[in-house]
Amino acid sequence: MASDLYNGREAEVIAQFSDGLSYSKTKLDASLRELVLDRKPAKSIKGQVVVKKDDVDFIVKEFDISPAQGEKALSENGGDLDKTLRALIAN
């Protein structure tokens, strides 16, 4: 099997499956950074917080909560996905 290179280095494989697929820590970290850490918080309009549907869907999927609970959590944290995730994990 050919090794995958990531930024000129071989990726650290954290799981390898019998079908030949594998997951690398480096690629997972880069994907997480792109999805969560590099996002800018939603802007509020006249005191209301704009909640992105993609952010609500992500929270609902990952925390197995209702869409209403996901929207409420995002609203309480100013629409900032990173801050909301940290708050949900802390509780």
Side-chain angles (χ1 to χ4, degrees), residues 39 51-60 74 79-81:
R39 282 189 161 193
V51 177
K52 295 180 183 175
K53 184 179 180 341
D54 291 342
D55 292 348
V56 174
D57 292 344
F58 180 77
I59 290 171
V60 167
L74 272 166
D80 185 345
L81 182 61

Side-chain angles (χ1 to χ4, degrees), residues 11-30:
E12 173 190 353
V13 175
I14 58 173
Q16 190 144 11
F17 298 95
S18 61
D19 61 3
L21 296 175
S22 61
Y23 293 96
S24 75
K25 182 177 184 329
T26 307
K27 288 182 182 179
L28 287 174
D29 286 345

Side-chain angles (χ1 to χ4, degrees), residues 34-75:
E34 179 183 322
L35 287 172
V36 178
L37 302 178
D38 291 343
R39 282 189 161 193
K40 294 183 175 120
K43 296 178 182 177
S44 60
I45 300 172
K46 296 182 183 177
Q48 294 180 348
V49 176
V50 176
V51 177
K52 295 180 183 175
K53 184 179 180 341
D54 291 342
D55 292 348
V56 174
D57 292 344
F58 180 77
I59 290 171
V60 167
K61 180 182 171 191
E62 293 300 319
F63 288 92
D64 196 27
I65 59 177
S66 72
Q69 290 172 314
E71 287 179 23
K72 181 180 177 190
L74 272 166
S75 294

